[in-house]
mmCIF file with all atom_site columns, all heavy atoms in Angstrom:
data_model
loop_
_atom_site.group_PDB
_atom_site.id
_atom_site.type_symbol
_atom_site.label_atom_id
_atom_site.label_alt_id
_atom_site.label_comp_id
_atom_site.label_asym_id
_atom_site.label_entity_id
_atom_site.label_seq_id
_atom_site.pdbx_PDB_ins_code
_atom_site.Cartn_x
_atom_site.Cartn_y
_atom_site.Cartn_z
_atom_site.occupancy
_atom_site.B_iso_or_equiv
_atom_site.pdbx_formal_charge
_atom_site.auth_seq_id
_atom_site.auth_comp_id
_atom_site.auth_asym_id
_atom_site.auth_atom_id
_atom_site.pdbx_PDB_model_num
ATOM 1  N N   . LEU H 1 108 ? -11.733 -1.033 -4.672  1.00 0.00 ? 108 LEU H N   1
ATOM 2  C CA  . LEU H 1 108 ? -12.265 -1.849 -5.757  1.00 0.00 ? 108 LEU H CA  1
ATOM 3  C C   . LEU H 1 108 ? -13.202 -0.962 -6.549  1.00 0.00 ? 108 LEU H C   1
ATOM 4  O O   . LEU H 1 108 ? -14.097 -0.330 -5.975  1.00 0.00 ? 108 LEU H O   1
ATOM 5  C CB  . LEU H 1 108 ? -13.019 -3.059 -5.199  1.00 0.00 ? 108 LEU H CB  1
ATOM 6  C CG  . LEU H 1 108 ? -13.572 -4.040 -6.220  1.00 0.00 ? 108 LEU H CG  1
ATOM 7  C CD1 . LEU H 1 108 ? -12.420 -4.733 -6.955  1.00 0.00 ? 108 LEU H CD1 1
ATOM 8  C CD2 . LEU H 1 108 ? -14.452 -5.058 -5.526  1.00 0.00 ? 108 LEU H CD2 1
ATOM 9  N N   . THR H 1 109 ? -12.966 -0.867 -7.844  1.00 0.00 ? 109 THR H N   1
ATOM 10 C CA  . THR H 1 109 ? -13.773 0.022  -8.671  1.00 0.00 ? 109 THR H CA  1
ATOM 11 C C   . THR H 1 109 ? -13.768 -0.474 -10.115 1.00 0.00 ? 109 THR H C   1
ATOM 12 O O   . THR H 1 109 ? -13.101 -1.456 -10.448 1.00 0.00 ? 109 THR H O   1
ATOM 13 C CB  . THR H 1 109 ? -13.246 1.476  -8.565  1.00 0.00 ? 109 THR H CB  1
ATOM 14 O OG1 . THR H 1 109 ? -14.163 2.358  -9.228  1.00 0.00 ? 109 THR H OG1 1
ATOM 15 C CG2 . THR H 1 109 ? -11.864 1.624  -9.163  1.00 0.00 ? 109 THR H CG2 1
ATOM 16 N N   . THR H 1 110 ? -14.492 0.212  -10.957 1.00 0.00 ? 110 THR H N   1
ATOM 17 C CA  . THR H 1 110 ? -14.474 -0.096 -12.387 1.00 0.00 ? 110 THR H CA  1
ATOM 18 C C   . THR H 1 110 ? -13.290 0.619  -13.023 1.00 0.00 ? 110 THR H C   1
ATOM 19 O O   . THR H 1 110 ? -12.796 1.621  -12.483 1.00 0.00 ? 110 THR H O   1
ATOM 20 C CB  . THR H 1 110 ? -15.773 0.387  -13.057 1.00 0.00 ? 110 THR H CB  1
ATOM 21 O OG1 . THR H 1 110 ? -15.830 1.815  -12.956 1.00 0.00 ? 110 THR H OG1 1
ATOM 22 C CG2 . THR H 1 110 ? -17.005 -0.249 -12.420 1.00 0.00 ? 110 THR H CG2 1
ATOM 23 N N   . PRO H 1 111 ? -12.823 0.146  -14.171 1.00 0.00 ? 111 PRO H N   1
ATOM 24 C CA  . PRO H 1 111 ? -11.712 0.842  -14.840 1.00 0.00 ? 111 PRO H CA  1
ATOM 25 C C   . PRO H 1 111 ? -12.044 2.310  -15.148 1.00 0.00 ? 111 PRO H C   1
ATOM 26 O O   . PRO H 1 111 ? -11.183 3.181  -15.030 1.00 0.00 ? 111 PRO H O   1
ATOM 27 C CB  . PRO H 1 111 ? -11.502 0.045  -16.126 1.00 0.00 ? 111 PRO H CB  1
ATOM 28 C CG  . PRO H 1 111 ? -12.034 -1.315 -15.810 1.00 0.00 ? 111 PRO H CG  1
ATOM 29 C CD  . PRO H 1 111 ? -13.184 -1.094 -14.871 1.00 0.00 ? 111 PRO H CD  1
ATOM 30 N N   . GLU H 1 112 ? -13.302 2.585  -15.480 1.00 0.00 ? 112 GLU H N   1
ATOM 31 C CA  . GLU H 1 112 ? -13.704 3.955  -15.800 1.00 0.00 ? 112 GLU H CA  1
ATOM 32 C C   . GLU H 1 112 ? -13.620 4.852  -14.562 1.00 0.00 ? 112 GLU H C   1
ATOM 33 O O   . GLU H 1 112 ? -13.101 5.965  -14.627 1.00 0.00 ? 112 GLU H O   1
ATOM 34 C CB  . GLU H 1 112 ? -15.140 3.984  -16.355 1.00 0.00 ? 112 GLU H CB  1
ATOM 35 C CG  . GLU H 1 112 ? -15.323 3.223  -17.666 1.00 0.00 ? 112 GLU H CG  1
ATOM 36 C CD  . GLU H 1 112 ? -15.436 1.707  -17.454 1.00 0.00 ? 112 GLU H CD  1
ATOM 37 O OE1 . GLU H 1 112 ? -15.762 1.266  -16.337 1.00 0.00 ? 112 GLU H OE1 1
ATOM 38 O OE2 . GLU H 1 112 ? -15.180 0.970  -18.418 1.00 0.00 ? 112 GLU H OE2 1
ATOM 39 N N   . GLN H 1 113 ? -14.120 4.372  -13.425 1.00 0.00 ? 113 GLN H N   1
ATOM 40 C CA  . GLN H 1 113 ? -14.081 5.162  -12.197 1.00 0.00 ? 113 GLN H CA  1
ATOM 41 C C   . GLN H 1 113 ? -12.658 5.288  -11.648 1.00 0.00 ? 113 GLN H C   1
ATOM 42 O O   . GLN H 1 113 ? -12.334 6.266  -10.988 1.00 0.00 ? 113 GLN H O   1
ATOM 43 C CB  . GLN H 1 113 ? -14.998 4.548  -11.143 1.00 0.00 ? 113 GLN H CB  1
ATOM 44 C CG  . GLN H 1 113 ? -16.467 4.739  -11.439 1.00 0.00 ? 113 GLN H CG  1
ATOM 45 C CD  . GLN H 1 113 ? -16.845 6.212  -11.442 1.00 0.00 ? 113 GLN H CD  1
ATOM 46 O OE1 . GLN H 1 113 ? -16.450 6.984  -10.587 1.00 0.00 ? 113 GLN H OE1 1
ATOM 47 N NE2 . GLN H 1 113 ? -17.619 6.604  -12.443 1.00 0.00 ? 113 GLN H NE2 1
ATOM 48 N N   . ALA H 1 114 ? -11.809 4.297  -11.926 1.00 0.00 ? 114 ALA H N   1
ATOM 49 C CA  . ALA H 1 114 ? -10.428 4.349  -11.443 1.00 0.00 ? 114 ALA H CA  1
ATOM 50 C C   . ALA H 1 114 ? -9.692  5.554  -12.014 1.00 0.00 ? 114 ALA H C   1
ATOM 51 O O   . ALA H 1 114 ? -8.761  6.067  -11.398 1.00 0.00 ? 114 ALA H O   1
ATOM 52 C CB  . ALA H 1 114 ? -9.692  3.060  -11.800 1.00 0.00 ? 114 ALA H CB  1
#
Side-chain angles (χ1 to χ4, degrees):
L108 183 66
T109 188
T110 64
E112 297 79 21
Q113 288 297 316

